[in-house]
Every structure is written in C-alpha cells, then in structure tokens.
Amino acid sequence: MNKIPDSQILVIFGASGDLTHRKLIPALFELFERKLLPAKFLIVGVARTRQNTEEFRQSLLDSMIQNRTTYAIDNPHLTDFLRSVYYIVCDTTRSEAYEALFREIEQLRNAAGIDDNLLFYLATPPIMYPTIASSIEARHQNRSAEGWRRIIIEKPYGSNEAEARALDRLLCAIFPEREIYRIDHFLGKETVQNLLVLRFANSIWEPLWNRNYIDHIEITATETLGVEQRGLYYDSAGALRDMVQSHLLQIMAFIAMEPPATFEPEAIRDEIAKVFRSLRPLSPDDIARHTLRGQYATGTVDGQKVPAYRDEPRVDPQSTTETFAALKLYIDNWRWADVPIYIYTGKRLAEKRSEVVIHFRNTPRTFFPGQCCGNSCNQLVITLQPDESIRLRFGLKQPGTNFEVSQVSMDFFYSSLIETRLPGAYERLLLDAMRGDSLLYSRSDALELSWHFLAPLLESWERDGDEGLITYPAGCKIPREVVDRILPDPCLLEENACTLCNTRRP
Ligand code: BG6
C-alpha cells in the first residue's frame, strides 16, 4: 500500500554537492511523478555556495539534463516540481549561522501551511555530521512538540568501530534511535528487498536454506568505474570500508537471517543483528589465508585506456589503499556452521555486476562426474544488477545415446514483472524515511557489530602497507589469486570468463 507521507520539509545539508544533484533530486522528482509526495511538501537545500533559489533550481535542472536522468527539459512537471525547491546559504561550520537558517525554514513552513515536521538529510562530508547534529540541537530543532524530527545520515558512518560508536553516542543523545536513519543505498534496490520476499514468501526454500543443503555462498559486486572525483574520500576508505562493511555485509544478513517474528522493522533488524553477532572472528591465520586485497593498475575498460589507481586525481601516488577486497567468512550458528561465505568486490573490473550465488551441495554419490559447473549441478543465482534476475541451475540429460549431463537453468527476469524501469534505490529510501519506516535502514547495533567484525582485517591491512597488496590490470575479470586462493568453485566465473588477470605485487 502506498501511504502518502505527512506534510513536511526535507532539509538537505550539503545541497550544492554531487549526491543531491545526481541522486536525491532525481529520486524526489520520480516520487513527485508517481504522486507519492505529500501535497504540502518543500525541499530546502542548504550549503555554503552563494546562490539564490532560482540559481539552485537551474543547477538542478542542468544536472538532471546533463546526467540524462530520464527527464526532458520540456517536461512540464519538472518545472512544477522545482517550485517546491528552495535554497538557503548557510555556513554550517558556524553554530551562529543556524539561528537565521531555522528562522528562514520556519517562515517557509508557515507560508506553505506545512505541519512542524522536519526531515534532515546530511549529504555533507562526514566530518560535518557532529557539528550539524549538535547545532540542530542547540537551536532546539531536534524535537518538536507538535510534529516530528528525523535525520538521515549518509555513509561512511565512521571509518572504524570506535568512530562509529562515537558518532552513535553523539547522535543518540540528540535524536531518539527510531528517528535516526542510517542509509545504505543497496537496501533501497528492488532486487535486494526481493531477497526477503524470495525467502519469506515461499516455502520451498526454507527446508534447503541451511548447512545441510548449501555448500557455500558467494556475494559479489564488481564495478567498471574507478574512483571518479572521489579520490580523497576513497583513498582513506578502500573497498573494505566502502563496499563490504556496508552493502555486502547487509546483503549477507538478508541471505543468512532467521525468519523474523513479524515483518516489522525492529523484528527484522533484530535478526540482522543476530547474524552479525554470530560472525566468526577473523584470526591472524584467517586473514593470512582467506583474505586478499588488490589495487588496479592501468588497463582498458570498455575499450578505453584508464589510469592506474595511484594516478587518479586526489589519490596518494604511493597509496596502498585496496580497490579490490576478497574474504571468506563463517557464521557460527546452527543454520550456517561451517558453510563458507565468499565476498568479493572491486573497482575497474571487466563488468558491473552484483550477484549472490547459493551453491547447493552435491548429490551424496556422483553418477555423472564432471558435467556440471564445479562440484554440484545446483546453484541459485540471484543477480541484483544490472540484468536483475533469478536463475535456478540444475543438470538434465543431454539428448543422445549417453548419460551426458547438461547444466540448464530456469530463469526469471525482473523485466517480466514490470514494463517500465525499476524504481531507484534513493526513491524507496527517501520515501520510507518520509513515512517513518526504518525497515531498510541500518540499526546502530548492526553497524557496530559489522565494524567490530572487520576491525582485525582493517588493522592488519593498514599495518601491512604494500605487503600482500596485489596489482591487477584495470578491466580484468577477476584477479587470478582470488580463484587460486579464495574461491573453491569458480566455475561460474570461468564459464563466461574473458580472462582471469595476472597480477603482480607493486
Ligand atoms: C557506493 C560506493 O556506496 O556504492 C561507491 O561508495 C560505489 O564506491 C557505489 O561505486 C556502488 O553503488 P551502485 O548502486 O552503483 O552499485
């Protein structure tokens, strides 16, 4: 059911930045087109850049056209939509600036007859989170007697366990936990949400969904993009923080969690936290044998020659930050004991693809050896993007005079459910926060537990610097070492594999 949110103002801090232009405003326009925004609704962009509301609207329009986010310049609705957007210049580093800011917001709110509901979106560099949150509190804008206050925090949510905890302590002293929305945009993807429906709307999987029938699980996200203009941030983060700590561990939790008591946010978040609590701690031996990090060298992606990571803008030329991370982990609970879970992700690889592959165990005795992919004929391949699909693979007899087995696949493509495009992740997440639904947002305990799990690996990689860091040519399918050292059964990769790339140490 499409519940329309309360009337409200969305206040975006960091509004002159890329995220606002490329993701937030286009997503809000889509919601507007789908008539999912409240009738009384304003977007107030806040940033230091000196410009007025008209100029801000024009820059949003230019960016939407330039990024070709589906909108024609003559779309009459676009002009209507932009009428609800305002801009306030504010140096958010100065606490005295907030008095005027909130005065102006109040004026806009009264003029538009909007209830006292403010949703703050922090699209600023993370270093600004504490200042903005504390300044909101200093102006008594963290609570309202007549309405509500909510705050959305972009990732990275801290860069290690201690920082995440400190940020949490600060935010939780200002806003109630239920009003803090820690965004992980992967959870806004239709196909990621579908993992919950696939598992909990069907009874056929549950009997198989455990260590008795599942041999191992692969969770991967490869990208063709490099670090673009985000060198400064990325060089201090790396693939483990940027993709594994947030997106891929969350996907793992959706795959591994127990059925919740109800389909309510807290019940689901309880189960997610339980998964993280059951992660087997990474020992030094696990780190040495079951993890791998790499960095891209110059190469060719989509026919274009691209620079090495170390030559990217705002990246340290001596950087040892990983742009590729692979690890094998275990969830020590009754359902998953001893089932390896392989996670890998990397930038500047041959294709953009996010996928979960459930590898089922082989039959107890093998009558037809070597005919299927790897050890077993059965995999459930859930492609989260780009060609969103679910494929169940199994072996069948190849017509002929021998018992030759062909591996076939029963395929479902999302495109058969919907004629238009799938709604974008930010559309769903913004709408949920506007409606007060936190199901697809991370809870503080889960975040801290995921940081806690990765802490030994982060420390070890930081300590080791160049040592153990492999270099892969941009555009390769997957570094050879992952197949040699980490994955037990890389047949799905090899099947369509252009090349496994040869790597070297820098
Ligand atoms: C972001 C990361 O969270 O996710 C980026 O910071 C990454 O580095 C991006 O490119 C991938 O998201 P998507 O939706 O394009 O797969």
Side-chain angles (χ1 to χ4, degrees):
M1 88 236 87
N2 275 328
K3 181 182 153 226
I4 301 293
D6 301 337
S7 83
Q8 60 192 277
I9 296 186
L10 169 63
V11 183
I12 305 178
F13 290 92
S16 53
D18 207 43
L19 181 71
T20 308
H21 285 72
R22 288 173 65 109
K23 300 283 186 192
L24 304 184
I25 296 293
L28 288 160
F29 177 57
E30 289 291 339
L31 292 175
F32 176 82
E33 285 280 81
R34 291 163 58 201
K35 303 199 180 353
L36 291 171
L37 294 179
K40 292 186 176 181
F41 174 65
L42 293 184
I43 300 162
V44 176
V46 178
R48 246 191 300 192
T49 310
R50 300 222 145 263
Q51 59 182 336
N52 59 31
T53 287
E54 273 318 311
E55 289 163 331
F56 182 55
R57 289 177 183 169
Q58 188 60 47
S59 79
L60 297 175
L61 190 61
D62 293 345
S63 150
M64 285 199 266
I65 292 162
Q66 190 192 338
N67 294 315
R68 285 188 284 144
T69 26
T70 69
Y71 324 102
I73 192 158
D74 53 359
N75 182 337
H77 300 162
L78 192 46
T79 322
D80 287 351
F81 164 73
L82 287 173
R83 273 197 215 109
S84 62
V85 179
Y86 289 80
Y87 183 80
I88 301 177
V89 182
C90 176
D91 179 354
T92 45
T93 57
R94 292 176 44 241
S95 57
E96 29 337 329
Y98 288 76
E99 187 179 346
L101 171 68
F102 281 110
R103 206 172 37 240
E104 278 192 61
I105 292 175
E106 186 65 4
Q107 281 164 3
L108 288 170
R109 191 174 77 73
N110 288 334
I114 293 178
D115 295 336
D116 190 18
N117 301 323
L118 299 185
L119 173 59
F120 303 114
Y121 197 118
L122 270 49
T124 60
I127 194 165
M128 286 303 299
Y129 297 167
T131 312
I132 296 175
S134 305
S135 306
I136 291 174
E137 183 189 28
R139 293 284 140 215
H140 311 293
Q141 289 295 336
N142 53 326
R143 279 161 219 267
S144 154
E146 278 114 50
W148 49 254
R149 298 289 183 265
R150 293 181 194 137
I151 186 164
I152 305 181
I153 312 281
E154 260 296 331
K155 73 177 256 278
Y157 196 81
S159 67
N160 57 36
E161 191 185 354
E163 280 184 22
R165 195 167 286 153
L167 181 58
D168 244 350
R169 223 175 290 128
L170 180 117
L171 288 175
C172 292
I174 298 177
F175 294 93
E177 164 68 32
R178 67 173 184 286
E179 308 294 17
I180 303 174
Y181 290 74
R182 302 167 189 86
I183 206 162
D184 179 332
H185 83 274
F186 260 56
L187 300 192
K189 292 181 191 285
E190 275 291 331
T191 42
V192 175
Q193 293 157 38
N194 192 43
L195 294 174
L196 296 178
V197 180
L198 178 75
R199 285 197 56 199
F200 303 132
N202 299 296
S203 58
I204 56 170
W205 306 117
E206 182 54 22
L208 309 178
W209 212 258
N210 56 55
R211 64 193 302 275
N212 298 330
Y213 292 93
I214 292 179
D215 185 76
H216 65 278
I217 298 173
E218 260 177 90
I219 301 172
T220 62
T222 60
E223 296 185 82
T224 51
L225 283 184
V227 291
E228 311 298 291
Q229 301 312 314
R230 301 162 71 223
L232 191 63
Y233 150 72
Y234 195 88
D235 208 32
S236 65
L240 200 57
R241 289 186 174 92
D242 187 51
M243 291 293 291
V244 178
Q245 183 274 329
S246 45
H247 310 322
L248 300 186
L249 286 183
Q250 282 289 341
I251 291 175
M252 181 200 73
F254 275 19
I255 294 287
M257 68 192 257
E258 294 300 313
T262 64
F263 205 74
E264 295 296 322
E266 289 318 309
I268 292 176
R269 291 158 128 207
D270 285 346
E271 297 306 332
I272 290 175
K274 271 164 61 184
V275 172
F276 290 145
R277 213 164 274 132
S278 312
L279 282 167
R280 185 185 297 174
L282 291 168
S283 69
D285 186 52
D286 295 330
I287 293 175
R289 294 196 307 132
H290 299 145
T291 71
L292 186 81
R293 70 201 161 107
Q295 192 186 74
Y296 61 82
T298 181
T300 305
V301 178
D302 293 335
Q304 303 280 328
K305 194 140 179 39
V306 296
Y309 174 70
R310 290 180 179 181
D311 295 329
E312 297 276 17
R314 309 183 83 186
V315 167
D316 176 358
Q318 310 291 324
S319 174
T320 56
T321 298
E322 79 286 355
T323 58
F324 181 94
L327 64 148
K328 171 179 173 185
L329 56 85
Y330 289 93
I331 299 171
D332 276 340
N333 62 17
W334 280 48
R335 188 184 285 268
W336 297 115
D338 300 325
V339 175
I341 299 179
Y342 300 91
I343 294 184
Y344 68 81
T345 180
K347 289 202 178 285
R348 286 287 192 226
L349 294 170
E351 61 171 348
K352 178 162 177 73
R353 175 166 296 274
S354 303
E355 208 155 70
V356 176
V357 185
I358 312 288
H359 293 257
F360 291 94
R361 282 189 192 282
N362 202 356
T363 50
R365 294 201 51 215
T366 311
F367 296 136
F368 316 106
Q371 307 287 338
C372 284
C373 170
N375 290 332
S376 144
C377 285
N378 302 130
Q379 292 98 26
L380 183 66
V381 182
I382 307 167
T383 304
L384 306 173
Q385 59 185 19
D387 43 353
E388 295 85 357
S389 58
I390 298 178
R391 283 166 289 151
L392 182 62
R393 298 161 63 102
F394 47 93
L396 282 183
K397 184 180 176 302
Q398 176 76 35
T401 48
N402 293 325
F403 279 103
E404 264 179 40
V405 178
S406 269
Q407 194 170 22
V408 297
S409 157
M410 237 158 48
D411 299 350
F412 158 76
F413 285 93
Y414 244 85
S415 48
S416 63
L417 269 190
I418 183 166
E419 279 174 13
T420 51
R421 63 171 194 99
L422 288 175
Y426 278 93
E427 280 165 54
R428 173 67 196 258
L429 292 172
L430 279 165
L431 184 64
D432 279 2
M434 290 166 71
R435 293 197 283 214
D437 181 348
S438 55
L439 194 152
L440 297 172
Y441 284 85
S442 312
R443 199 169 65 186
S444 99
D445 52 354
L447 263 168
E448 281 184 26
L449 287 161
S450 62
W451 277 121
H452 181 72
F453 168 69
L454 290 176
L457 185 54
L458 286 165
E459 280 159 24
S460 160
W461 284 1
E462 253 157 48
R463 206 174 41 238
D464 292 351
D466 255 357
E467 182 150 349
L469 179 77
I470 60 160
T471 306
Y472 59 95
C476 83
K477 177 85 185 164
I478 184 171
R480 177 169 290 285
E481 268 91 343
V482 182
V483 175
D484 292 348
R485 271 187 39 200
I486 311 262
L487 290 176
D489 185 10
C491 58
L492 290 181
L493 284 167
E494 277 167 358
E495 225 173 41
N496 50 9
C498 4
T499 40
L500 300 179
C501 17
N502 287 318
T503 54
R504 64 185 164 81
R505 299 188 188 266

